[in-house]
PDB file of all heavy atoms in Angstrom:
ATOM      1  N   SER A1485     -59.430 -18.274 -51.966  1.00 97.00           N
ATOM      2  CA  SER A1485     -59.509 -17.224 -52.989  1.00 97.00           C
ATOM      3  C   SER A1485     -60.726 -17.438 -53.888  1.00 97.00           C
ATOM      4  O   SER A1485     -61.461 -16.483 -54.181  1.00 97.00           O
ATOM      5  CB  SER A1485     -58.227 -17.212 -53.824  1.00 97.00           C
ATOM      6  OG  SER A1485     -57.105 -16.933 -53.030  1.00 97.00           O
ATOM      7  N   LEU A1486     -60.955 -18.669 -54.313  1.00 97.00           N
ATOM      8  CA  LEU A1486     -62.120 -18.958 -55.145  1.00 97.00           C
ATOM      9  C   LEU A1486     -63.424 -18.688 -54.396  1.00 97.00           C
ATOM     10  O   LEU A1486     -64.383 -18.143 -54.959  1.00 97.00           O
ATOM     11  CB  LEU A1486     -62.075 -20.415 -55.609  1.00 97.00           C
ATOM     12  CG  LEU A1486     -61.056 -20.747 -56.696  1.00 97.00           C
ATOM     13  CD1 LEU A1486     -61.047 -22.253 -56.962  1.00 97.00           C
ATOM     14  CD2 LEU A1486     -61.367 -19.988 -57.981  1.00 97.00           C
ATOM     15  N   TYR A1487     -63.453 -19.068 -53.132  1.00 97.00           N
ATOM     16  CA  TYR A1487     -64.659 -18.869 -52.321  1.00 97.00           C
ATOM     17  C   TYR A1487     -64.950 -17.378 -52.171  1.00 97.00           C
ATOM     18  O   TYR A1487     -66.100 -16.934 -52.315  1.00 97.00           O
ATOM     19  CB  TYR A1487     -64.449 -19.509 -50.950  1.00 97.00           C
ATOM     20  CG  TYR A1487     -65.726 -19.936 -50.255  1.00 97.00           C
ATOM     21  CD1 TYR A1487     -65.721 -20.981 -49.342  1.00 97.00           C
ATOM     22  CD2 TYR A1487     -66.934 -19.296 -50.481  1.00 97.00           C
ATOM     23  CE1 TYR A1487     -66.879 -21.391 -48.696  1.00 97.00           C
ATOM     24  CE2 TYR A1487     -68.098 -19.683 -49.847  1.00 97.00           C
ATOM     25  CZ  TYR A1487     -68.051 -20.731 -48.948  1.00 97.00           C
ATOM     26  OH  TYR A1487     -69.208 -21.124 -48.316  1.00 97.00           O
ATOM     27  N   ALA A1488     -63.906 -16.593 -51.875  1.00 96.00           N
ATOM     28  CA  ALA A1488     -64.099 -15.150 -51.705  1.00 96.00           C
ATOM     29  C   ALA A1488     -64.576 -14.507 -53.004  1.00 96.00           C
ATOM     30  O   ALA A1488     -65.493 -13.670 -52.997  1.00 96.00           O
ATOM     31  CB  ALA A1488     -62.803 -14.503 -51.234  1.00 96.00           C
ATOM     32  N   MET A1489     -63.969 -14.902 -54.133  1.00 96.00           N
ATOM     33  CA  MET A1489     -64.408 -14.352 -55.418  1.00 96.00           C
ATOM     34  C   MET A1489     -65.862 -14.729 -55.698  1.00 96.00           C
ATOM     35  O   MET A1489     -66.651 -13.900 -56.191  1.00 96.00           O
ATOM     36  CB  MET A1489     -63.490 -14.853 -56.538  1.00 96.00           C
ATOM     37  CG  MET A1489     -62.136 -14.196 -56.570  1.00 96.00           C
ATOM     38  SD  MET A1489     -61.166 -14.634 -58.045  1.00 96.00           S
ATOM     39  CE  MET A1489     -60.757 -16.334 -57.685  1.00 96.00           C
ATOM     40  N   GLY A1490     -66.230 -15.964 -55.400  1.00 95.00           N
ATOM     41  CA  GLY A1490     -67.606 -16.389 -55.617  1.00 95.00           C
ATOM     42  C   GLY A1490     -68.603 -15.608 -54.782  1.00 95.00           C
ATOM     43  O   GLY A1490     -69.684 -15.239 -55.259  1.00 95.00           O
ATOM     44  N   LEU A1491     -68.242 -15.322 -53.532  1.00 95.00           N
ATOM     45  CA  LEU A1491     -69.138 -14.556 -52.665  1.00 95.00           C
ATOM     46  C   LEU A1491     -69.293 -13.122 -53.158  1.00 95.00           C
ATOM     47  O   LEU A1491     -70.401 -12.559 -53.133  1.00 95.00           O
ATOM     48  CB  LEU A1491     -68.614 -14.573 -51.227  1.00 95.00           C
ATOM     49  CG  LEU A1491     -68.689 -15.912 -50.488  1.00 95.00           C
ATOM     50  CD1 LEU A1491     -68.030 -15.808 -49.121  1.00 95.00           C
ATOM     51  CD2 LEU A1491     -70.143 -16.369 -50.341  1.00 95.00           C
ATOM     52  N   VAL A1492     -68.182 -12.519 -53.595  1.00 95.00           N
ATOM     53  CA  VAL A1492     -68.265 -11.151 -54.107  1.00 95.00           C
ATOM     54  C   VAL A1492     -69.153 -11.096 -55.355  1.00 95.00           C
ATOM     55  O   VAL A1492     -70.025 -10.218 -55.494  1.00 95.00           O
ATOM     56  CB  VAL A1492     -66.867 -10.605 -54.422  1.00 95.00           C
ATOM     57  CG1 VAL A1492     -66.960  -9.268 -55.160  1.00 95.00           C
ATOM     58  CG2 VAL A1492     -66.059 -10.424 -53.138  1.00 95.00           C
ATOM     59  N   LEU A1493     -68.965 -12.037 -56.267  1.00 93.00           N
ATOM     60  CA  LEU A1493     -69.778 -12.056 -57.488  1.00 93.00           C
ATOM     61  C   LEU A1493     -71.236 -12.339 -57.165  1.00 93.00           C
ATOM     62  O   LEU A1493     -72.143 -11.767 -57.784  1.00 93.00           O
ATOM     63  CB  LEU A1493     -69.229 -13.104 -58.458  1.00 93.00           C
ATOM     64  CG  LEU A1493     -67.838 -12.807 -59.029  1.00 93.00           C
ATOM     65  CD1 LEU A1493     -67.388 -13.947 -59.932  1.00 93.00           C
ATOM     66  CD2 LEU A1493     -67.842 -11.489 -59.789  1.00 93.00           C
ATOM     67  N   ALA A1494     -71.485 -13.208 -56.183  1.00 91.00           N
ATOM     68  CA  ALA A1494     -72.869 -13.483 -55.787  1.00 91.00           C
ATOM     69  C   ALA A1494     -73.520 -12.250 -55.182  1.00 91.00           C
ATOM     70  O   ALA A1494     -74.709 -11.977 -55.398  1.00 91.00           O
ATOM     71  CB  ALA A1494     -72.904 -14.647 -54.798  1.00 91.00           C
ATOM     72  N   ALA A1495     -72.742 -11.473 -54.418  1.00 89.00           N
ATOM     73  CA  ALA A1495     -73.283 -10.253 -53.813  1.00 89.00           C
ATOM     74  C   ALA A1495     -73.608  -9.204 -54.873  1.00 89.00           C
ATOM     75  O   ALA A1495     -74.573  -8.440 -54.732  1.00 89.00           O
ATOM     76  CB  ALA A1495     -72.290  -9.692 -52.797  1.00 89.00           C
ATOM     77  N   TRP A1496     -72.800  -9.158 -55.925  1.00 88.00           N
ATOM     78  CA  TRP A1496     -73.021  -8.152 -56.978  1.00 88.00           C
ATOM     79  C   TRP A1496     -74.064  -8.590 -58.005  1.00 88.00           C
ATOM     80  O   TRP A1496     -74.834  -7.773 -58.493  1.00 88.00           O
ATOM     81  CB  TRP A1496     -71.714  -7.872 -57.694  1.00 88.00           C
ATOM     82  CG  TRP A1496     -70.770  -7.026 -56.904  1.00 88.00           C
ATOM     83  CD1 TRP A1496     -71.033  -6.375 -55.732  1.00 88.00           C
ATOM     84  CD2 TRP A1496     -69.407  -6.738 -57.223  1.00 88.00           C
ATOM     85  NE1 TRP A1496     -69.931  -5.698 -55.299  1.00 88.00           N
ATOM     86  CE2 TRP A1496     -68.917  -5.891 -56.186  1.00 88.00           C
ATOM     87  CE3 TRP A1496     -68.557  -7.093 -58.256  1.00 88.00           C
ATOM     88  CZ2 TRP A1496     -67.612  -5.414 -56.173  1.00 88.00           C
ATOM     89  CZ3 TRP A1496     -67.264  -6.613 -58.255  1.00 88.00           C
ATOM     90  CH2 TRP A1496     -66.790  -5.784 -57.220  1.00 88.00           C
ATOM     91  N   LEU A1497     -74.082  -9.880 -58.339  1.00 85.00           N
ATOM     92  CA  LEU A1497     -74.935 -10.351 -59.423  1.00 85.00           C
ATOM     93  C   LEU A1497     -76.245 -10.966 -58.957  1.00 85.00           C
ATOM     94  O   LEU A1497     -77.091 -11.301 -59.780  1.00 85.00           O
ATOM     95  CB  LEU A1497     -74.170 -11.390 -60.268  1.00 85.00           C
ATOM     96  CG  LEU A1497     -72.839 -10.915 -60.866  1.00 85.00           C
ATOM     97  CD1 LEU A1497     -72.180 -12.038 -61.641  1.00 85.00           C
ATOM     98  CD2 LEU A1497     -73.047  -9.693 -61.750  1.00 85.00           C
ATOM     99  N   GLY A1498     -76.388 -11.132 -57.634  1.00 70.00           N
ATOM    100  CA  GLY A1498     -77.636 -11.681 -57.115  1.00 70.00           C
ATOM    101  C   GLY A1498     -78.799 -10.729 -57.348  1.00 70.00           C
ATOM    102  O   GLY A1498     -78.605  -9.537 -57.632  1.00 70.00           O
ATOM    103  N   PRO A1499     -80.027 -11.226 -57.243  1.00 67.00           N
ATOM    104  CA  PRO A1499     -81.203 -10.376 -57.507  1.00 67.00           C
ATOM    105  C   PRO A1499     -81.226  -9.113 -56.660  1.00 67.00           C
ATOM    106  O   PRO A1499     -81.482  -8.021 -57.160  1.00 67.00           O
ATOM    107  CB  PRO A1499     -82.373 -11.309 -57.186  1.00 67.00           C
ATOM    108  CG  PRO A1499     -81.832 -12.691 -57.363  1.00 67.00           C
ATOM    109  CD  PRO A1499     -80.398 -12.620 -56.950  1.00 67.00           C
ATOM    110  N   ALA A1500     -80.949  -9.260 -55.365  1.00 59.00           N
ATOM    111  CA  ALA A1500     -80.969  -8.080 -54.497  1.00 59.00           C
ATOM    112  C   ALA A1500     -79.809  -7.136 -54.803  1.00 59.00           C
ATOM    113  O   ALA A1500     -79.919  -5.929 -54.627  1.00 59.00           O
ATOM    114  CB  ALA A1500     -80.926  -8.506 -53.026  1.00 59.00           C
ATOM    115  N   GLY A1501     -78.679  -7.706 -55.271  1.00 54.00           N
ATOM    116  CA  GLY A1501     -77.533  -6.865 -55.591  1.00 54.00           C
ATOM    117  C   GLY A1501     -77.757  -6.026 -56.837  1.00 54.00           C
ATOM    118  O   GLY A1501     -77.212  -4.939 -56.976  1.00 54.00           O
ATOM    119  N   ARG A1502     -78.592  -6.522 -57.786  1.00 52.00           N
ATOM    120  CA  ARG A1502     -78.828  -5.785 -59.020  1.00 52.00           C
ATOM    121  C   ARG A1502     -80.004  -4.826 -58.917  1.00 52.00           C
ATOM    122  O   ARG A1502     -80.130  -3.918 -59.718  1.00 52.00           O
ATOM    123  CB  ARG A1502     -79.120  -6.772 -60.171  1.00 52.00           C
ATOM    124  CG  ARG A1502     -77.933  -7.643 -60.544  1.00 52.00           C
ATOM    125  CD  ARG A1502     -78.196  -8.339 -61.873  1.00 52.00           C
ATOM    126  NE  ARG A1502     -79.426  -9.115 -61.848  1.00 52.00           N
ATOM    127  CZ  ARG A1502     -79.461 -10.419 -61.590  1.00 52.00           C
ATOM    128  NH1 ARG A1502     -78.349 -11.063 -61.309  1.00 52.00           N
ATOM    129  NH2 ARG A1502     -80.611 -11.071 -61.594  1.00 52.00           N
ATOM    130  N   SER A1503     -80.863  -5.032 -57.926  1.00 51.00           N
ATOM    131  CA  SER A1503     -82.059  -4.202 -57.830  1.00 51.00           C
ATOM    132  C   SER A1503     -81.718  -2.818 -57.316  1.00 51.00           C
ATOM    133  O   SER A1503     -80.765  -2.637 -56.558  1.00 51.00           O
ATOM    134  CB  SER A1503     -83.074  -4.867 -56.884  1.00 51.00           C
ATOM    135  OG  SER A1503     -82.564  -4.903 -55.566  1.00 51.00           O
ATOM    136  N   PRO A1504     -82.474  -1.795 -57.712  1.00 46.00           N
ATOM    137  CA  PRO A1504     -82.207  -0.439 -57.223  1.00 46.00           C
ATOM    138  C   PRO A1504     -82.284  -0.341 -55.716  1.00 46.00           C
ATOM    139  O   PRO A1504     -81.527   0.393 -55.089  1.00 46.00           O
ATOM    140  CB  PRO A1504     -83.291   0.400 -57.906  1.00 46.00           C
ATOM    141  CG  PRO A1504     -83.681  -0.396 -59.122  1.00 46.00           C
ATOM    142  CD  PRO A1504     -83.559  -1.822 -58.723  1.00 46.00           C
TER     143      PRO A1504
END
Side-chain angles (χ1 to χ4, degrees):
S1485 299
L1486 286 175
Y1487 206 153
M1489 285 188 289
L1491 291 175
V1492 171
L1493 294 178
W1496 285 351
L1497 303 179
R1502 294 193 304 264
S1503 66

